[in-house]
Amino acid sequence: VQLQASGGGLVQAGDSLRLSCAASGRAFSNYVMGWFRQAPGKEREFVAAISARGGTTFLAHSVQGRFTISRDNAENTVYLQMSSLKPEDTAVYSCAAGSRSGNLAGADYYYWGQGTLVTVSS
């Protein structure tokens, strides 16, 4: 599976932005999909995950109530809708594909795409 994230840009605090992650290859609908981010000088952190069929989602506490993850398996695409953006959301956002044996929080990711930069100005 090859993944390509897009949709990043420069926005102001309070704005909204939607990221997309397009997947190529077979069996996209078999994978758990996740979004991660890495801010300058910081380690990569988990943002959100969605089950293979889209029925279950899990979001990091820091983005709950502001971000939504969704997917369109017919289009092989996963989305991250971000609203009420804060300067601390500034990071490179990447998508990943994987699987889980239990809950989404414990999913393992095997395929990673290049990220897209989101910059939130104050």
Side-chain angles (χ1 to χ4, degrees), residues 59-77:
L59 289 92
H61 179 74
S62 59
V63 304
Q64 287 180 4
R66 299 189 299 123
F67 290 14
T68 302
I69 185 171
S70 62
R71 66 190 295 162
D72 184 340
N73 284 346
E75 297 294 330
N76 283 8
T77 303

Side-chain angles (χ1 to χ4, degrees), residues 13-113:
D15 283 352
S16 297
L17 200 62
R18 189 178 79 160
L19 305 183
S20 300
C21 172
S24 60
R26 298 183 296 178
F28 170 78
S29 60
N30 289 345
Y31 292 102
V32 168
M33 296 299 298
W35 283 99
F36 293 78
R37 67 185 181 186
Q38 186 166 20
K42 295 187 177 181
E43 294 186 353
R44 184 175 62 199
E45 65 172 346
F46 168 82
V47 176
I50 187 166
S51 59
R53 296 189 177 185
T56 305
T57 62
F58 176 69
L59 289 92
H61 179 74
S62 59
V63 304
Q64 287 180 4
R66 299 189 299 123
F67 290 14
T68 302
I69 185 171
S70 62
R71 66 190 295 162
D72 184 340
N73 284 346
E75 297 294 330
N76 283 8
T77 303
V78 61
Y79 303 99
L80 185 68
Q81 178 68 48
M82 306 183 293
S83 61
S84 302
L85 283 162
K86 305 175 182 180
E88 51 264 43
D89 294 319
T90 294
V92 174
Y93 285 71
S94 301
C95 55
S99 65
R100 61 166 174 165
S101 58
N103 58 41
L104 280 175
D108 293 313
Y109 295 93
Y110 315 122
Y111 304 101
W112 295 82

